[in-house]
Amino acid sequence: MKRRNFIIIASLALVIAVSWWFVRSFQLLFASPVAKPDYLLRILDPEAIMAIGIKYRQQFPGEDDKKFLRGAINQTPEATSDIEHAINTKVDEDFAKGNVVVINGWVLALTEARQCALFSILA
Amino acid sequence: MHIDARSIDDNSLVEGDLCIVGAGAAGLSIALEWKGLNKKVILLESGGFEFDMKTQELNAGTSTGQHYFPLQSSRLRYFGGTTGHWQGMCSPFDEIDFKVRSYVPHSGWPIDRQTLEPYYEKANKVLQLGPYQYDYAYWKGENPDFVSFPLDRNVIWDKMWQKNPIRFGPAYKDDIVKAKNIHLYTNATAVNLDANESVNAIRGIEVKNHAGKSFRVRAKQYILACGAIQNARLLLASNTRAVGGIGNGNDVVGRYFMEHFEMICSELRLFKQFPSSLYSRDKVRAELALTEETQLENQILNGTAKLRPYEVYKDMDNYMEKWNDEDPREAMKNLKESSLLTKLLRLKSRIIAPESFLLDTRMEQAPNPNSRVTLSGEKDALGMPEVNLHWELSPIDKRSLRKIHEIIGTQFAKAGLGRVRIMDFLLDEDDAAFRENVNAGWHHMGTTRMSDDPKKGVVDQNCKVHGLSNLYVAGSGCFATSGAPNPTLTLVALSIRLSDYVKDRLSVKSV
């Protein structure tokens, strides 16, 4: 294969891979509200959320588990229509109660940090 | 009356009732209080009415410890002092700044905020600020667009500031020169305090200049007003009769040098724009401050955060790196250089409310006895020993910076306004060290701190040097703690209070 063709194909492959990752990330976010930190999505992109999630799992290795995180974020069945609202309320309560963690410098509610962690596993 | 000391007879004697050393913010605030009184005031100024590099070089010194601005350019040595290039940001200290806090070693003043209140009002006039009002409610009444963030007022409040970069030189030259009882000597550098044999009073000051002239000033009372570093230097260098220097029997002179941290410590991202000019107006504006209860509960120092539009300040260089020239004119030029893009972004941020800000902290430094000014082995052109500044910070400084932003972050989130990201250098809770270039406010404080106990302070609550009957220190060198706000309003208030005290001592009557 000529060098030029190789570069073109490799570049295309990279673009496709990155695009796929973004699409997949957004799909995940919209598919699973438990892994969708609603407030943070207003100010951060999926990449930053992923980075927070990875860091959280490093800081709290005992919570590096899909099942645990799902349970900790939300006790109501996922089918509940206003699950997003319920989680946001929990985030607000975290701040009110002082359940706050600092991850990658972000001052976050424990629940939303866990959402980032779950997102980073699912993605 | 003005006398250029280069033209007076060598070895002459100048006599008066009160001698003030230094014509900066502190010295001039005092001198103005004596205008027209039946006492002769001798006001000594090391420089002239204009900047002169040869005189400026008398400020030269070395520094060790935490990296600091070049000493030569961090203060101006001519009539009007450092008001010649200051920014003019003023706000009074808070009540907590004067109190003993168990978690802040060496905290507590022998006076409280209430004691300074009447003098703050006078200082506000000297600094030609607006009305003496630092209450948000007042300014909201004046400016309906001063909308405050809906935060928990038990935790965060809006501390109001006023700005007027008044240059004391041009503003007060005529007042001083035309006053018959005030004898201003320019090009007159005090090089030695001559104490009596018992070292319990000053009997004269030796003065020199670059023209090779020396003369002596004899007065009944003496006030040192040359800035925290130079006041300490003059006391330490006056060691002919007193080993270790005048007023230094307990080895406190020069210690507890303090600065203000002025550092971008976090980023605030709002969920949506918050149109308000409260945090961005030029002449009057607010900074986010933590309540006394919050500080005590979290055992942190007092500090505020000002909002800087992210787009404008994201690439802003550190002041400490930019202010690296021994010539203050060059240093200022380096600092003020900003691109057209920066200017346009600044303009844009005033028209369209930004959604992202950098939170620029202004915080006190905890008193630290090892943070100190000492004499170095070098001598200046007039034969006076130069100084070394060893600037040393404490673990509580860094912990407080981090905690302040954690609290602000929690409060913004709690109010549903946005999220805060603390900067990387503050993230490691176990790391008390600071990076090389910590940004500071060019504020020199401590070195002749106030305490009723001579073992803990150089001056008493009236700013009189312990053990000396007629020697006083004016200015921010007397601060026991540095408070969150910039020092000038408080140092002028304290100087006017000192002036009243000395008037009583000299039984002053108006003419």
Side-chain angles (χ1 to χ4, degrees):
Chain A
M1 190 184 290
K2 283 185 182 172
R3 191 162 169 253
R4 190 161 155 261
N5 288 345
F6 173 77
I7 291 171
I8 292 169
I9 291 167
S11 302
L12 277 172
L14 186 68
V15 169
I16 291 165
V18 170
S19 307
W20 179 85
W21 185 84
F22 268 100
V23 170
R24 171 92 178 121
S25 299
F26 276 108
Q27 275 176 342
L28 274 165
L29 286 173
F30 289 106
S32 173
V34 182
K36 180 186 167 193
D38 185 41
Y39 287 122
L40 292 182
L41 275 170
R42 299 180 201 176
I43 53 170
L44 296 176
D45 56 30
E47 207 176 334
I49 287 170
M50 169 76 87
I52 291 171
I54 292 168
K55 186 73 179 178
Y56 182 88
R57 284 156 54 207
Q58 285 169 356
Q59 270 182 237
F60 303 97
E63 296 192 14
D64 190 3
D65 175 77
K66 227 187 308 187
K67 201 174 163 192
F68 172 85
L69 287 167
R70 277 187 193 281
I73 294 164
N74 178 47
Q75 265 90 42
T76 35
E78 286 225 22
T80 309
S81 58
D82 57 355
I83 186 168
E84 197 173 299
H85 176 74
I87 294 174
N88 283 349
T89 303
K90 200 172 177 203
V91 168
D92 294 338
E93 282 170 5
D94 276 350
F95 281 117
K97 288 177 189 166
N99 292 333
V100 174
V101 287
V102 179
I103 310 289
N104 278 357
W106 289 101
V107 181
L108 303 171
L110 183 58
T111 299
E112 64 187 354
R114 283 171 168 162
Q115 284 182 287
C116 295
L118 184 58
F119 170 73
S120 72
I121 295 173
L122 296 178
Chain B
M1 184 185 300
H2 169 233
I3 304 107
D4 187 330
R6 290 175 298 190
S7 62
I8 67 169
D9 292 337
D10 201 17
N11 296 318
S12 53
L13 175 67
V14 173
E15 291 185 280
D17 295 296
L18 171 65
C19 176
I20 304 168
V21 185
L28 285 177
S29 300
I30 295 171
L32 290 167
E33 291 286 310
W34 289 71
K35 203 177 65 167
L37 301 181
N38 63 344
K39 299 291 174 190
K40 181 179 173 185
V41 176
I42 296 156
L43 177 58
L44 300 176
E45 169 50 49
S46 180
F49 288 116
E50 302 295 333
F51 178 86
D52 167 58
M53 196 59 196
K54 207 172 169 190
T55 308
Q56 189 66 30
E57 283 168 3
L58 298 173
N59 278 351
T62 51
S63 57
T64 52
Q66 187 70 42
H67 178 62
Y68 197 64
F69 301 112
L71 295 187
Q72 187 173 303
S73 58
S74 68
R75 279 292 170 281
L76 293 178
R77 200 181 262 252
Y78 64 97
F79 186 80
T82 308
T83 64
H85 68 194
W86 77 315
Q87 293 297 304
M89 292 294 296
C90 292
S91 189
F93 276 22
D94 303 322
E95 284 182 20
I96 191 172
D97 294 323
F98 296 88
K99 294 180 180 174
V100 174
R101 288 162 285 172
S102 60
Y103 57 91
V104 183
H106 315 288
S107 59
W109 294 47
I111 57 172
D112 58 15
R113 163 71 202 265
Q114 201 53 38
T115 310
L116 271 192
E117 192 59 28
Y119 301 101
Y120 266 132
E121 192 162 357
K122 288 182 178 179
N124 214 67
K125 283 184 186 149
V126 173
L127 290 159
Q128 299 181 10
L129 295 158
Y132 180 60
Q133 291 287 349
Y134 289 88
D135 183 42
Y136 166 68
Y138 171 84
W139 289 106
K140 169 73 177 159
E142 297 288 305
N143 304 277
D145 61 335
F146 270 14
V147 184
S148 175
F149 283 121
L151 298 165
D152 183 347
R153 296 295 154 208
N154 294 315
V155 180
I156 293 180
W157 59 290
D158 293 308
K159 183 165 177 64
M160 300 303 300
W161 290 72
Q162 294 192 50
K163 179 183 176 182
N164 180 26
I166 177 180
R167 306 303 187 220
F168 272 47
Y172 292 120
K173 182 181 171 186
D174 281 357
D175 283 299
I176 296 296
V177 170
K178 286 177 184 168
K180 287 179 183 167
N181 68 318
I182 298 175
H183 296 233
L184 166 67
Y185 288 80
T186 52
N187 297 296
T189 303
V191 295
N192 186 48
L193 306 173
D194 181 23
N196 62 7
E197 284 184 17
S198 324
V199 199
N200 58 15
I202 298 300
R203 59 183 193 183
I205 295 184
E206 290 170 33
V207 185
K208 288 185 179 178
N209 60 35
H210 284 302
K213 301 283 180 65
S214 297
F215 65 101
R216 187 179 170 85
V217 174
R218 188 188 294 158
K220 291 172 185 157
Q221 309 286 330
Y222 301 87
I223 299 175
L224 306 185
C226 349
I229 291 179
Q230 297 303 320
N231 285 339
R233 178 187 183 191
L234 188 52
L235 288 167
L236 292 169
S238 302
N239 53 11
T240 317
R241 287 187 199 279
V243 179
I246 301 278
N248 198 25
N250 293 297
D251 189 26
V252 186
V253 173
R255 290 189 184 271
Y256 302 96
F257 172 85
M258 296 173 288
E259 249 284 9
H260 281 124
F261 294 94
E262 289 196 1
M263 303 172 75
I264 288 173
C265 292
S266 71
E267 176 193 348
L268 165 65
R269 286 201 200 171
L270 297 174
F271 293 141
K272 59 179 183 183
Q273 290 173 320
F274 188 81
S276 170
S277 61
L278 176 62
Y279 306 99
S280 60
R281 188 73 70 82
D282 192 42
K283 289 277 179 193
V284 182
R285 67 162 174 250
E287 292 183 2
L288 302 169
L290 270 59
T291 60
E292 181 169 329
E293 294 71 26
T294 305
Q295 291 178 48
L296 295 173
E297 188 188 326
N298 291 279
Q299 305 212 327
I300 52 174
L301 298 167
N302 195 5
T304 61
K306 56 187 161 192
L307 275 73
R308 305 271 208 189
Y310 182 85
E311 261 191 311
V312 184
Y313 290 91
K314 64 180 178 191
D315 298 320
M316 190 177 73
D317 288 332
N318 187 300
Y319 296 158
M320 193 68 84
E321 284 167 18
K322 289 196 107 179
W323 191 279
N324 54 14
D325 204 294
E326 295 285 350
D327 183 337
R329 296 163 301 180
E330 292 301 315
M332 183 59 90
K333 215 185 286 175
N334 293 342
L335 193 70
K336 283 195 165 172
E337 264 176 21
S338 61
S339 66
L340 179 65
L341 179 66
T342 308
K343 285 172 188 162
L344 287 172
L345 287 171
R346 193 173 289 143
L347 185 67
K348 183 190 152 199
S349 72
R350 286 189 180 154
I351 300 164
I352 305 165
E355 287 176 10
S356 290
F357 296 90
L358 291 166
L359 297 182
D360 197 354
T361 308
R362 207 192 289 271
M363 192 188 82
E364 64 175 321
Q365 176 192 342
N368 180 339
N370 299 324
S371 184
R372 68 186 297 201
V373 170
T374 53
L375 298 180
S376 74
E378 300 297 314
K379 289 194 173 178
D380 69 16
L382 300 179
M384 198 179 174
E386 292 183 353
V387 290
N388 180 71
L389 168 65
H390 181 79
W391 187 29
E392 190 174 298
L393 306 175
S394 311
I396 190 175
D397 297 327
K398 198 166 179 192
R399 192 179 69 77
S400 299
L401 281 174
R402 178 193 156 95
K403 195 70 192 171
I404 284 171
H405 289 267
E406 207 177 303
I407 292 167
I408 291 174
T410 303
Q411 292 306 314
F412 269 85
K414 205 171 154 186
L417 293 166
R419 295 288 185 270
V420 162
R421 181 178 67 85
I422 299 170
M423 296 296 170
D424 290 350
F425 75 97
L426 289 173
L427 291 185
D428 186 351
E429 286 180 82
D430 299 324
D431 180 14
F434 279 90
R435 64 188 186 206
E436 187 192 347
N437 284 316
V438 164
N439 220 39
W442 294 269
H443 303 152
H444 301 169
M445 298 166 284
T447 75
T448 53
R449 73 197 312 256
M450 182 188 282
S451 171
D452 283 335
D453 182 349
K455 288 180 182 161
K456 295 177 179 171
V458 176
V459 299
D460 65 14
Q461 60 176 280
N462 296 308
C463 298
K464 188 179 79 63
V465 176
H466 284 296
L468 283 110
S469 60
N470 63 348
L471 180 64
Y472 308 84
V473 181
S476 51
C478 300
F479 292 4
T481 50
S482 50
N486 292 0
T488 307
L489 182 63
T490 300
L491 79 85
V492 171
L494 202 58
S495 299
I496 297 171
R497 179 171 174 269
L498 164 61
S499 173
D500 277 3
Y501 182 76
V502 179
K503 279 181 189 172
D504 279 350
R505 299 283 299 263
L506 284 172
S507 309
V508 167
K509 290 173 194 156
S510 295
V511 288

